[in-house]
């Protein structure tokens, strides 16, 4: 666990302030009935155990960069103003293992020449991305950062694994962050990040990295698929998001009663309600779109913010608590007073 999170007072450098937001879902929809037709599962099981009814999936030939470019274009439209100096892409499903996907996304958006790189923190990628963007801005490396979180998770899910097929899905969310003041609406508050690599095998893709390649043992056909030990992961998700949330709220000088909206990684509806209950945040203050998007990995939190703002459930002035958890293990939490931005 990271130690004490940096406190807002005395922070050096400008703050990262949200000035635009965008999102994108691929058009193809997969229903619980579609999954039940090919897997030993049911609509009733999926709804009651995960809260998911439908999710979106890329069509053949569509890659993460395609989703990322759409969401990024939306965020740039929403922000208006000068072009960003850096693009940070959080993803677990890059177009290729090498090179990073971010430079290609930048080129597609007419941003060739700017700093562009990927970060890998699985479902916590957006929170790690917020901290990274904040660091680029605070250090003066960039004045404006386009942060995109995009995952084509269905491309790494074993279609025969009912434990993961029913949850994971595809999508992208994006934000433009600009240099500003720590006390203005949209300024990202103190961010808490943590990891526990002793549990890295709870969520993994075993093949394709240097560990498997240097072993001299050929990967089995199933080793390239994503694997998750769901029940154990569930327990850690609740503990870590709850603890990180408390720390972020305290570092912002808030209490959990001050939180107007909880924007938690949409991992599983039961996880979300347990985290909210433990934090004492009532149901009407929880943002949720898991029913129709599923678990979209790194994209989950920015997609949730964009959808909730578009639906009028997230309003300027709301004090928002952001939290996420996923493979690594890795987790994070932060706060923001929602700014007056129109999702693009
Ligand atoms: O994104 C960040 C990281 N991910 C998460 O935070 C996800 C965390 N985990 C979960 O969301 C849940 O653990 C799952 C949704 C993956 C599974 O739900 P669960 O309530 O933990 O189920 P379980 O794995 O304990 O399995 C309970 C039963 C088992 O049957 P038996 O042994 O009790 O007879 C499973 O075989 O449910 C069975 N099962 C299913 N049945 C129908 C597991 N998956 C399915 C399925 N349909 N899709």
């Amino acid at each position: 666990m990271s130690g004490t999170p940096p406190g807002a007072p005395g922070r050096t450098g400008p703050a990262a302030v949200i000035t635009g937001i965008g999102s994108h879902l691929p058009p193809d929809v997969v229903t619980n009935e579609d999954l039940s037709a090919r897997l030993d599962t049911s609509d009733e099981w999926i709804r009651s155990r995960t809260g998911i009814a439908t999710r979106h999936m890329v069509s053949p030939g569509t890659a993460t960069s395609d989703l990322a470019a759409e969401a990024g274009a939306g965020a740039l439209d929403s922000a208006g103003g000068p072009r960003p100096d850096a693009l940070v892409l959080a993803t677990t499903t890059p177009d290729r293992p090498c090179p990073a996907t971010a430079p290609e996304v930048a080129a597609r958006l007419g941003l060739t020449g700017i700093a562009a790189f990927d970060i890998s923190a699985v479902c916590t990628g957006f929170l790690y991305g917020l901290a990274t963007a904040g660091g680029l801005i605070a250090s003066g490396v960039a004045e404006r950062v386009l942060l995109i979180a995009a995952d084509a998770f269905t491309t790494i899910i074993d279609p025969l694994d009912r434990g993961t097929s029913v949850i994971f899905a595809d999508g992208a969310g994006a934000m433009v962050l600009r240099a500003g003041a720590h006390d203005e609406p949209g300024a990202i508050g103190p961010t808490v990040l943590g990891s526990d690599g002793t549990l890295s095998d709870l969520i993994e893709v075993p093949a394709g990295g240097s560990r498997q390649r240097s072993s001299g043992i050929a990967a089995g056909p199933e080793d390239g698929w994503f694997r998750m030990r769901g029940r154990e992961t569930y327990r850690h998700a609740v503990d870590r998001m709850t603890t990180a949330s408390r720390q972020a709220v305290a570092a912002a000088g808030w209490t959990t009663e001050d939180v107007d909206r909880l924007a938690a990684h949409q991992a599983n509806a039961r996880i979300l309600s347990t985290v909210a209950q433990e934090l004492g945040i009532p149901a009407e203050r929880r943002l949720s779109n898991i029913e129709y998007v599923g678990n979209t990995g790194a994209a989950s939190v920015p997609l949730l913010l964009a959808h909730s703002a578009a639906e009028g459930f997230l309003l300027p002035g709301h004090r928002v608590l952001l939290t996420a958890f996923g493979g690594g293990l890795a987790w994070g939490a932060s706060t923001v007073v929602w700014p007056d931005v129109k999702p693009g």
Side-chain angles (χ1 to χ4, degrees), residues 208-259:
S210 58
R211 179 70 66 201
Q212 177 264 315
R213 284 170 181 260
S214 74
S215 71
I217 302 167
E222 71 288 352
D223 292 334
W225 297 125
F226 176 92
R227 290 181 193 162
M228 178 176 72
R229 303 213 314 254
R231 180 49 70 91
E232 286 159 272
T233 302
Y234 188 116
R235 187 168 52 80
H236 289 287
V238 171
D239 289 351
R240 297 304 189 179
M241 284 198 280
T242 305
T243 304
S245 292
R246 286 204 178 99
Q247 291 172 327
V249 162
W254 300 358
T255 70
T256 50
E257 283 175 14
D258 295 325
V259 173

Side-chain angles (χ1 to χ4, degrees), residues 35-36 38-42 162:
L35 292 169
S36 308
R38 62 177 174 79
L39 289 166
D40 181 15
T41 189
S42 64
R162 66 179 181 174

Side-chain angles (χ1 to χ4, degrees), residues 39-42 45-46 49-50 122-123 153 161-164 166-168 203 226 228-235 237-238 241 265-271 295 297 325-327:
L39 289 166
D40 181 15
T41 189
S42 64
W45 193 97
I46 302 170
R49 303 294 272 246
T50 72
V122 199
C123 297
F153 238 101
D161 179 8
R162 66 179 181 174
T164 51
V166 300
I167 306 178
F168 288 98
I203 290 178
F226 176 92
M228 178 176 72
R229 303 213 314 254
R231 180 49 70 91
E232 286 159 272
T233 302
Y234 188 116
R235 187 168 52 80
V238 171
M241 284 198 280
H265 168 48
Q266 304 285 289
N268 177 320
R270 286 154 57 220
I271 293 176
N295 179 337
F325 167 88

Side-chain angles (χ1 to χ4, degrees), residues 86-90 100-103 106 114-119 132-133 136 145-146 148:
L87 189 156
V88 177
L89 173 66
T101 304
I114 69 168
F117 58 98
D118 293 0
I119 58 173
T132 304
L136 291 169
V145 177
L146 175 58
I148 307 177

Side-chain angles (χ1 to χ4, degrees), residues 89-124:
L89 173 66
T91 187
T92 303
T93 55
D95 286 14
R96 293 168 278 177
C98 175
T101 304
E104 190 177 329
V105 175
R108 297 256 297 270
L109 293 170
L111 298 171
T112 300
I114 69 168
F117 58 98
D118 293 0
I119 58 173
S120 173
V122 199
C123 297
T124 314

